[in-house]
Amino acid sequence: MAVCWCLTMARGENKVESYLHKRITQLGGTTRKWVSPGRDSVPDRIGFLPNNIIFFAEVKTMNGVLTVRQSREIETLKSYDCEVYVVYGTDGVDKLTEHLRTKHGIA
């Protein structure tokens, strides 16, 4: 049962990641999947927006939970003044894109 649950969660997160990419593209940017060999728990996506805006996004389903390692990795990135966001579901993506639009003056 646990294997099925993990696969379902992964598929759900993939849908949210695709939606994030679509919404960031609508803002004139793009995202890339972040895979770091030998370093688990890095955020799922690196986002790029006009005017040298770079951010990291950990994507979760609405019921997703950060692992301790993910929380630690996020705090490490924040200690380097990186913008790091955790988004929960497509509603979280919409909130993030509105936040980025407002914070960085993106039309």
Side-chain angles (χ1 to χ4, degrees):
M1 248 345 191
V3 172
C4 293
W5 180 80
C6 290
L7 290 174
T8 301
M9 290 298 286
R11 281 191 210 116
E13 285 185 4
N14 285 339
K15 288 181 181 181
V16 179
E17 281 188 51
S18 294
Y19 185 67
L20 173 67
H21 179 77
K22 176 183 171 184
R23 296 287 282 133
I24 295 302
T25 301
Q26 290 170 344
L27 294 179
T30 192
T31 68
R32 296 291 186 262
K33 178 78 174 163
W34 187 10
V35 178
S36 183
R39 186 145 188 109
D40 293 340
S41 304
V42 295
D44 296 308
R45 291 276 168 171
I46 304 172
F48 304 90
L49 290 167
N51 301 319
N52 297 318
I53 299 163
I54 299 171
F55 66 93
F56 300 91
E58 175 60 38
V59 176
K60 296 289 181 190
T61 60
M62 288 302 296
N63 299 323
V65 177
L66 287 175
T67 66
V68 171
R69 293 173 81 180
Q70 287 173 323
S71 294
R72 234 182 280 143
E73 188 67 29
I74 288 167
E75 290 308 311
T76 298
L77 291 169
K78 285 183 176 181
S79 76
Y80 293 111
D81 294 326
C82 296
E83 288 186 48
V84 186
Y85 302 97
V86 179
V87 294
Y88 294 91
T90 56
D91 287 345
V93 170
D94 290 337
K95 289 175 185 172
L96 173 61
T97 53
E98 186 56 36
H99 168 77
L100 292 168
R101 182 189 313 268
T102 302
K103 179 177 181 178
H104 297 292
I106 300 169

